[in-house]
Amino acid sequence: EPIARAGARSSPRPVSVTHVESSAWVWVTPCTSLQAVDELQEELQNIQGQLLPLQGAVLGTRAAAEFSEDFQLYRAEVLGAHRDDEVEVLFLDFGNREVVKTKSLLQLPRHLEEMNELATRVRVAGAKERGLGVELEEMLLEGDVTMLQDQDKGATFFVDGVKLDVSSMPQQSLKDSSEDVEILGDPAAA
């Protein structure tokens, strides 16, 4: 279910914050889609032993990739190459990124490859792009979170019913994880 835009909904809607990318950008999943996330993850775990190695990881390729923190498979999209044997991937249904061995990527069944992402990247209203705010992450991941999306101003978050004021939160710098990424092109075009 897509995130509502300004004018489409006049009250905040419940979301699950899946990843805090920076003080200005977070990834959310509508609470109404959480069952779909669970079903997707269960299906990936059930078919893990049947998936074939991916042939040809180019920019935009969707595949199954193992996340290093829990060793589970997730849907991922190739963002770029780090070395000959590594690529950076975006975990489509959560928003986090990781560098993985190219040979570890697995082919997704077509219906999982073509399925829309279950998480959406949204800009935090009033936030400045100055790195990851640790306080923001703690607040968004620990309370009941609702969100009001405005296409021009970004997303206003409410934690336990209280509007989150991000303009006064301390910021700390975060190294851009993509600075060493080489964008992969179509090998046939070379």
Side-chain angles (χ1 to χ4, degrees), residues 44-58:
L44 277 172
Q45 301 325 307
N46 289 339
I47 64 173
Q48 183 171 358
Q50 304 164 24
L51 299 178
L52 300 172
L54 181 69
Q55 303 298 316
V58 297

Side-chain angles (χ1 to χ4, degrees), residues 89-108:
V89 297
L90 168 70
F91 292 101
L92 295 168
D93 304 306
F94 297 90
N96 42 342
R97 298 172 181 217
E98 191 164 84
V99 176
V100 300
K101 297 282 186 192
T102 305
K103 66 182 179 184
S104 72
L105 296 175
L106 302 170
Q107 291 179 4
L108 285 170

Side-chain angles (χ1 to χ4, degrees), residues 59 78-89 97-100 174-184:
L59 178 67
V78 174
L79 299 177
H82 269 253
R83 297 188 193 120
D84 289 337
D85 63 340
E86 293 180 334
V87 292
E88 182 178 19
V89 297
R97 298 172 181 217
E98 191 164 84
V99 176
V100 300
L174 175 70
K175 181 183 175 201
D176 181 1
S177 64
S178 62
E179 77 178 33
D180 297 328
V181 174
E182 172 189 338
I183 301 301
L184 293 176

Side-chain angles (χ1 to χ4, degrees), residues 119-161:
T120 303
R121 184 178 187 245
V122 295
R123 185 171 51 86
V124 178
K128 305 246 186 302
E129 188 67 64
R130 290 183 278 170
L132 179 65
V134 174
E135 284 187 32
L136 174 65
E137 181 173 20
E138 289 173 358
M139 292 177 80
L140 287 175
L141 297 178
E142 291 184 14
D144 288 328
V145 179
T146 56
M147 179 187 82
L148 183 60
Q149 179 75 21
D150 182 305
Q151 199 162 5
D152 297 324
K153 296 179 183 173
T156 300
F157 289 91
F158 299 82
V159 179
D160 297 328

Side-chain angles (χ1 to χ4, degrees), residues 16-28 67 69 94-96 124 127 131-145 157 159 164-166 169-174:
S16 174
V17 177
T18 58
H19 180 64
V20 177
E21 183 177 306
S22 72
S23 60
W25 293 96
V26 299
W27 290 78
V28 299
F67 184 52
E69 289 186 27
F94 297 90
N96 42 342
V124 178
L132 179 65
V134 174
E135 284 187 32
L136 174 65
E137 181 173 20
E138 289 173 358
M139 292 177 80
L140 287 175
L141 297 178
E142 291 184 14
D144 288 328
V145 179
F157 289 91
V159 179
L164 186 63
D165 180 13
V166 297
M169 288 187 165
Q171 306 291 319
Q172 70 184 46
S173 64
L174 175 70

